[in-house]
Amino acid sequence: MLTQHKQLAQLQTRCQTPEEDMQSFRNFPAPSSSSGGVLWRMAHIVEENKLTLTHLAELEMIHAMENPNQGMWYTFQLLEPENDAQSVELTQFKQQFKCHLSELLRQMSVKIKKHTDEAVWIRIALGSSFSKPNHLKPTYVVHYLQTPYVFVRNLTSKLKPLLSQALTLATRHQGVKEANLSGRNLTSIRDLLMRQYQQVFPTKYRSPPEEEDQPVLNQHIEKEQGGVAAHRRHMAHQAFGDGMLPQLQSAVYMLDTKFRDPNNRTMTEREETFKCVVKFSSIDLLESLRSCASSGIASAPVTPLLSSIPLKGRNYFVVTDNTPGPSSQGHQTQN
Amino acid sequence: MRTPHNGAVVQRRSKTRSYRQSYRSCLGTASRLGLTPALTARRLNASRRAAKPQNDKVNPEHLALLVKAEWQLSYVTPLYQFRHTQLRSYSRQLAAFIVAEKQQGLAVEVSELHNSYRVSLSVVQGLTESEDDAETVLIQIHSKPMFARQDEPQRSVWSGWLTCVHGSPEYLRSLPKDFTCLPLFGSRGPEYLSRVVKSWFQKTFDCCFGSLEINHTSLQWFAALWTDCHSQSHIQHLRMLWTIPAAPPLQITYTVDHQDAWDLWNSVRKGPTAAVAEDAASIDLEEVTGFLQALKSHFYRHFRLDLSAGTLQQVSTAVGSAKSSGRIKMSNSRHVIATLTLLTECALLKMPI
C-alpha cells in the first residue's frame, strides 16, 4: 500500500485540476498485487462517477467516524471558560473555528461534521506554501460541545499550536492543556473521561451477594478463603468499576520519589530521589488491573496510583514526594 | 589453533573410572552416590567474578560481528572429532549440504531465491577464558539472490557461532579424547538456514542441539552484572520486563535511571564496593537477589503489586539485552566475555548429558 500512497502524493503535487488528478492516476499501469488492484479499480469507479479528491476525503472522514477505534488518540482539556462558553453551539463553533484556523494557515482543508452522538468531528489536512493539502495524513479532532474535552489523532507539531489557538477561541476558553490520557479506543477514553461506564460507589455496607454461580471447588477452601476473596473482589470493583470497562492499552508513571526501605540504610539516607519509569500495558488495561486486585496480586485496598486511572481519567502520571500526607505511602500524584 | 588435547589427563582417569562423568555429577559429591543427581547440584554458580573489561586479544572485526545483532541461543552437546584445523573442509561440506537440502526441497524459503552459497567457518581467537576452553568458531553463510548481477558482492545471509567461555574445568577435563565441548550456539538469520546448519552439525559430529531459554535466575544475574558494568561502560538505564498472570495478561516495563540503579547496587553489595576493589571482587547470588528484591520493594511501595507474582521476561541495558526466550544482544564489546561466561554455564547446565 505504501507505493500507492507515494503515487497519490506525487499526483497531488504535480497535478492542477481534480480531473487531471484522476486522469493521471488512471494512467499508472495496473499493479499486479491485489491491494493495488483494489485501489486501481476504485480510481476507475471514482473517475467514472466524476468524483474528486475532496469526495474521497469526505468518504475517508465518514469511514473514520464510523470506525473511531483506530490509531492513537490524545486528549486535551480546555481551561478557563469564558462566561458564554456554555452557550457555544454548532454553527457558531464551525464558523469561528474555520475562520481562526484559516487566518493562520493558507493551504489547508478543513471539514467539520456532527456525529449522531453529538460529537463534532473535524478533519484537517495540512499543506505548505509549496504543496497542496496532504490528504494521506489528516489530523482528526473530536470535541463534545459544552464539555472541556478534545480528542486528537495524528497531530503534527506544526499544527499543534495553531489548533490550540483556534480551539480555545472557537470554544470561548482561555487555554488548553494536555489531559494525560491516550489510547486507541476513542469510545473508551471518552467513556472514561465522561464517566459513562458502570461504577461502583463505595458503600459502608457489603453489597448484595453476586449472582454469578461460581462452582465451589473445595468446601474447605471456600470456608477459609471465601470471605477474603469476596472482600477482595468488592474492593477491586470499587476501585475500577463493574461490568465492561473502557479499554485502555497502557498507563505510564514517571516516579521521582525517595527510596525508602528499612532494610537498606544507605539508600534511605540518600538525598537524591530514585528515578524510574513504570509502564503497564495490556490489551485491556483496566480489566487486567481489576483482575490483579481480585486475585490478590495487587494488595487490597487498591493503591490510589492505580485507582486514579479510572477516577481521574488519565493514564500518564508524574509521581513525586509532595507534602508528607496522612497516607502511609507518603506520596501524591501531580497534575 | 588448537583443539584441547585432554590426552594425558583422560588416560589417567580412565584407569580408575570406566564411565564418563556427567556435568551434573561434577557439581556435587552427593550425585555420584545415587542414580539421579541431587537437586542442589543442578544450580548455577552461586558466585561469580565481577565483569571486567576484557583484554584486546580478540580481533575487533569479529567482535563487531558479535555485538551488532541479536542472537538466538541453543545448547550443543560435545562434538565428536571436531578439528579446528579442518575448518576449510567443513566450510565446503556445509555449503554442499545446504545446496543438497535445497534440491531436496527441505531448505526452501519462498521469497528468497539463492542459487549459490559460500560458507566460511573461522576461529575467533581469544574469546576464551581458561586453558580448557575450546576456541570459538564463527560460521557465516554468504549468498546472493538468483537474479543479481555478476559483479554484485555476496552478502551475509546467516551467521552463527559456537563458543565455550570459562566452562567448568572438571567437566571439560572429564570428556574423553576426541570430544570438543562448545556448548553455546548463537544464530542469526532465516530459520531454515539455522535448521540446515544444525542438522549438518548433528550428522557430522554426532551432537545434539536444543533451545536454550534464559531462566529467571540468569536474568537476575544479567541485571546485576550489567548494572555492575556501569563504572566502566555507561548503561543508560536498567530496563526489566515482567508479565503478570492477570486476565488479560499484564505487562510491566520497569525502567530505572542508571545512576540510581548503580547506587542501589552498591548499597546492596557486601564487603568492599566494586569501585574500591578492582577485579578481585566477586558477586554473590545473595547480592543479586537482594538487588532485585530492593527494586521490587520500591515498586511495591507505590503500586502494592508484588512483581514476584509474575515472570521476569527481559532485562536490558545499553550494555546488552537478554530475553527469557533465549535471545541475547551484547551491545558493548568490552563485556562480551562476561556475558558469554554466564551463558556457557547455562548451556552446560541445560545439556542432557
Side-chain angles (χ1 to χ4, degrees):
Chain A
M1 280 303 284
L2 190 59
T3 45
Q4 279 102 30
H5 279 159
K6 274 196 193 149
Q7 289 167 356
L8 194 57
Q10 282 165 357
L11 262 183
Q12 288 172 25
T13 49
R14 271 194 244 128
C15 304
Q16 298 299 319
T17 66
E19 291 72 30
E20 268 183 355
D21 284 345
M22 284 301 119
Q23 186 56 44
S24 33
F25 195 81
R26 285 274 286 130
N27 288 340
F28 278 106
S32 54
S33 71
S34 59
S35 62
V38 165
L39 205 64
W40 197 80
R41 280 197 297 279
M42 211 174 86
H44 182 74
I45 295 169
V46 159
E47 193 193 34
E48 281 193 340
N49 290 301
K50 304 258 188 300
L51 294 179
T52 62
L53 269 176
T54 26
H55 291 118
L56 280 180
E58 181 138 341
L59 276 173
E60 196 222 8
M61 187 170 180
I62 294 173
H63 176 80
M65 286 168 72
E66 291 303 311
N67 302 283
N69 299 332
Q70 284 171 11
M72 200 65 181
W73 292 92
Y74 295 88
T75 323
F76 293 87
Q77 189 174 354
L78 297 160
L79 305 166
E80 294 166 45
E82 309 266 357
N83 291 337
D84 53 347
Q86 283 297 317
S87 62
V88 171
E89 42 83 42
L90 185 61
T91 35
Q92 179 190 353
F93 174 79
K94 274 170 90 161
Q95 184 202 41
Q96 290 282 306
F97 184 80
K98 276 190 169 161
C99 167
H100 286 296
L101 204 58
S102 55
E103 264 174 28
L104 306 163
L105 288 172
R106 294 278 157 228
Q107 285 278 33
M108 141 194 97
S109 146
V110 178
K111 282 192 191 310
I112 304 185
K113 278 187 187 302
K114 188 156 187 203
H115 199 41
T116 45
D117 65 350
E118 302 304 305
V120 179
W121 278 71
I122 309 170
R123 180 184 190 276
I124 306 172
L126 267 194
S128 69
S129 349
F130 307 108
S131 64
K132 292 174 81 174
N134 183 0
H135 282 281
L136 292 172
K137 290 195 177 145
T139 303
Y140 279 99
V141 180
V142 178
H143 174 54
Y144 289 82
L145 291 172
Q146 276 97 47
T147 71
Y149 302 115
V150 180
F151 306 95
V152 190
R153 183 172 94 195
N154 205 17
L155 183 62
T156 56
S157 47
K158 181 179 169 189
L159 182 57
K160 187 170 171 181
L162 311 167
L163 179 66
S164 313
Q165 193 172 351
L167 274 173
T168 43
L169 289 170
T171 56
R172 307 288 296 147
H173 283 78
Q174 294 213 10
V176 66
K177 67 164 180 145
E178 296 195 14
N180 295 319
L181 177 63
S182 61
R184 287 190 195 284
N185 283 29
L186 177 63
T187 38
S188 293
I189 58 177
R190 178 204 66 200
D191 288 344
L192 193 68
L193 267 183
M194 312 225 238
R195 304 277 184 274
Q196 283 163 6
Y197 65 98
Q198 232 176 331
Q199 278 182 302
V200 174
F201 295 99
T203 55
K204 190 168 154 194
Y205 304 101
R206 187 72 65 82
S207 57
E210 289 157 9
E211 283 88 55
E212 45 185 309
D213 282 315
Q214 283 174 354
V216 173
L217 296 168
N218 187 324
Q219 291 286 358
H220 299 292
I221 294 177
E222 187 57 35
K223 199 167 80 170
E224 293 286 318
Q225 298 290 325
V228 174
H231 177 69
R232 273 203 307 258
R233 263 200 305 277
H234 180 72
M235 305 287 281
H237 283 247
Q238 228 178 55
F240 294 107
D242 242 349
M244 285 283 290
L245 294 174
Q247 247 194 358
L248 283 181
Q249 288 75 41
S250 66
V252 174
Y253 295 83
M254 313 283 286
L255 298 178
D256 193 0
T257 54
K258 283 196 73 174
F259 193 97
R260 265 184 232 116
D261 189 353
N263 302 327
N264 193 327
R265 274 194 64 192
T266 327
M267 287 303 285
T268 314
E269 288 166 5
R270 195 167 166 255
E271 281 292 317
E272 297 93 13
T273 51
F274 194 81
K275 292 170 285 300
C276 52
V277 179
V278 175
K279 180 173 175 183
F280 292 87
S281 20
S282 165
I283 50 173
D284 190 344
L285 181 71
L286 290 176
E287 188 62 53
S288 291
L289 290 175
R290 188 171 66 179
S291 124
C292 281
S294 290
S295 60
I297 295 174
S299 311
V302 178
T303 167
L305 279 186
L306 290 176
S307 57
S308 294
I309 302 176
L311 206 65
K312 296 192 181 165
R314 50 187 294 185
N315 63 358
Y316 177 82
F317 301 87
V318 176
V319 183
T320 59
D321 290 316
N322 266 346
T323 54
S327 65
S328 57
Q329 288 151 340
H331 56 256
Q332 290 173 23
T333 57
Q334 226 179 33
N335 274 340
Chain B
M1 246 183 293
R2 63 171 171 82
T3 312
H5 184 56
N6 299 326
V9 176
V10 174
Q11 292 290 38
R12 262 205 305 276
R13 279 198 169 191
S14 63
K15 285 182 191 158
T16 54
R17 230 165 264 140
S18 56
Y19 60 89
R20 185 169 73 78
Q21 276 187 312
S22 78
Y23 181 71
R24 293 177 216 144
S25 66
C26 291
L27 298 176
T29 49
S31 55
R32 284 192 211 125
L33 302 171
L35 286 168
T36 54
L39 211 59
T40 49
R42 300 183 59 177
R43 259 203 223 140
L44 286 178
N45 281 343
S47 122
R48 62 187 69 249
R49 276 209 317 274
K52 60 182 201 293
Q54 64 220 31
N55 313 326
D56 297 314
K57 43 182 182 145
V58 189
N59 183 346
E61 265 180 38
H62 284 146
L63 269 182
L65 274 171
L66 282 177
V67 303
K68 74 173 181 178
E70 192 181 53
W71 303 95
Q72 180 69 48
L73 296 172
S74 312
Y75 66 81
V76 194
T77 55
L79 307 165
Y80 181 63
Q81 287 190 335
F82 178 87
R83 298 273 171 268
H84 282 80
T85 46
Q86 304 256 16
L87 294 182
R88 274 248 188 94
S89 148
Y90 295 155
S91 310
R92 283 195 296 269
Q93 289 176 36
L94 181 51
F97 186 74
I98 297 174
V99 174
E101 290 285 296
K102 274 201 86 162
Q103 283 176 345
Q104 284 187 43
L106 289 172
V108 174
E109 183 84 359
V110 179
S111 56
E112 294 174 30
L113 295 166
H114 299 271
N115 59 346
S116 73
Y117 291 95
R118 181 174 66 84
V119 177
S120 74
L121 270 82
S122 47
V123 173
V124 180
Q125 294 257 18
L127 202 62
T128 54
E129 184 80 356
S130 69
E131 279 294 310
D132 301 303
D133 289 337
E135 293 279 3
T136 303
V137 176
L138 180 67
I139 311 154
Q140 285 181 292
I141 302 181
H142 301 267
S143 172
K144 58 182 175 181
M146 189 87 89
F147 304 108
R149 294 194 313 271
Q150 281 289 358
D151 53 344
E152 237 180 80
Q154 288 191 321
R155 51 179 191 86
S156 170
V157 292
W158 185 94
S159 19
W161 40 263
L162 283 158
T163 188
C164 178
V165 181
H166 203 59
S168 154
E170 284 179 338
Y171 175 69
L172 292 177
R173 283 179 212 150
S174 75
L175 289 175
K177 206 166 85 146
D178 282 345
F179 274 97
T180 309
C181 185
L182 287 165
L184 188 64
F185 174 72
S187 64
R188 165 185 151 255
E191 178 57 34
Y192 71 98
L193 280 176
S194 301
R195 258 186 288 121
V196 169
V197 170
K198 284 182 193 174
S199 91
W200 180 78
F201 269 93
Q202 282 174 166
K203 285 199 168 95
T204 318
F205 304 109
D206 197 19
C207 61
C208 211
F209 282 78
S211 70
L212 181 66
E213 286 90 28
I214 303 181
N215 72 359
H216 177 252
T217 313
S218 312
L219 285 173
Q220 288 190 325
W221 270 108
F222 278 121
L225 286 172
W226 285 337
T227 308
D228 196 63
C229 291
H230 186 56
S231 56
Q232 298 135 17
S233 317
H234 199 296
I235 63 170
Q236 284 176 22
H237 55 241
L238 171 64
R239 174 170 297 149
M240 294 164 283
L241 212 117
W242 301 79
T243 44
I244 306 285
L250 182 63
Q251 202 180 66
I252 298 178
T253 314
Y254 186 5
T255 312
V256 183
D257 178 68
H258 54 92
Q259 188 59 44
D260 298 314
W262 170 245
D263 288 342
L264 179 62
W265 170 241
N266 278 318
S267 74
V268 171
R269 300 292 311 274
K270 300 175 280 199
T273 56
V276 176
E278 262 298 324
D279 39 37
S282 78
I283 302 177
D284 281 338
L285 182 61
E286 273 178 30
E287 294 171 321
V288 174
T289 47
F291 179 56
L292 267 291
Q293 195 50 48
L295 288 168
K296 284 188 226 173
S297 77
H298 183 73
F299 186 92
Y300 185 80
R301 256 193 61 237
H302 290 86
F303 298 102
R304 290 175 62 79
L305 201 152
D306 195 356
L307 285 172
S308 308
T311 348
L312 181 56
Q313 299 276 3
Q314 187 179 340
V315 171
S316 61
T317 64
V319 170
S321 113
K323 296 183 187 161
S324 65
S325 57
R327 300 187 79 88
I328 188 86
K329 185 170 201 297
M330 299 169 280
S331 315
N332 191 319
S333 55
R334 294 170 82 194
H335 304 285
V336 166
I337 290 248
T339 307
L340 289 178
T341 309
L342 178 52
L343 291 172
T344 306
E345 214 179 296
C346 293
L348 283 171
L349 261 180
K350 195 125 197 264
M351 287 207 301
I353 46 160

